[in-house]
Amino acid sequence: MTDAVDPTGPLDPEDKKIITLARGARARNGVAEGAAVRDTTGRTYVATTVALDSLRLSALRLAVAMAVASGADGLEAASVVSEVGTLPDDDLAAVRDLGGAGVPVLLAGPDGVLRATIAAS
């Protein structure tokens, strides 16, 4: 597991936006997890967990896949809204693969309150 950073201090408006997008997708689809990523041009991609018999993807991995499929060549930030307190290494690896080790992953609760900022390293 990677190091989490204490989420104190003001949150950037663009980071608030991706938390809000992830939270809305989670609520709209009635699933446990919503995610959003922002690419290096400022475009956002939003996803929720996929749990089919033949396909299982976390919300964050799907959001990264959507960015890649849309031609993104990097990420600035990612967010996950969930009840969980940590993120799987595979999720962080997907962010790192597209954005690099320094991309912050914002982990927020269902209420939208930031719990931690995790480096994708």
Side-chain angles (χ1 to χ4, degrees):
M1 187 65 210
T2 60
D3 296 328
V5 178
D6 182 21
T8 58
L11 195 57
D12 179 89
E14 291 299 314
D15 291 343
K16 279 185 184 180
K17 177 183 172 183
I18 61 173
I19 290 173
T20 300
L21 290 169
R23 185 175 181 219
R26 178 186 181 273
R28 185 174 46 257
N29 290 348
V31 295
E33 185 179 84
V37 298
R38 183 176 62 247
D39 73 12
T40 55
T41 67
R43 293 180 296 179
T44 56
Y45 307 88
V46 181
T48 60
T49 305
V50 173
L52 302 173
D53 289 340
S54 62
L55 179 64
R56 297 204 177 271
L57 288 172
S58 72
L60 185 54
R61 281 183 266 177
L62 182 54
V64 170
M66 292 170 64
V68 170
S70 296
D73 60 4
L75 294 177
E76 290 182 347
S79 70
V80 176
V81 173
S82 176
E83 294 276 355
V84 301
T86 61
L87 295 174
D89 289 336
D90 288 346
D91 283 13
L92 297 173
V95 172
R96 185 174 56 249
D97 286 350
L98 182 57
V103 174
V105 181
L106 310 168
L107 179 59
D111 57 1
V113 174
L114 182 65
R115 293 181 180 165
T117 301
I118 304 166
S121 58

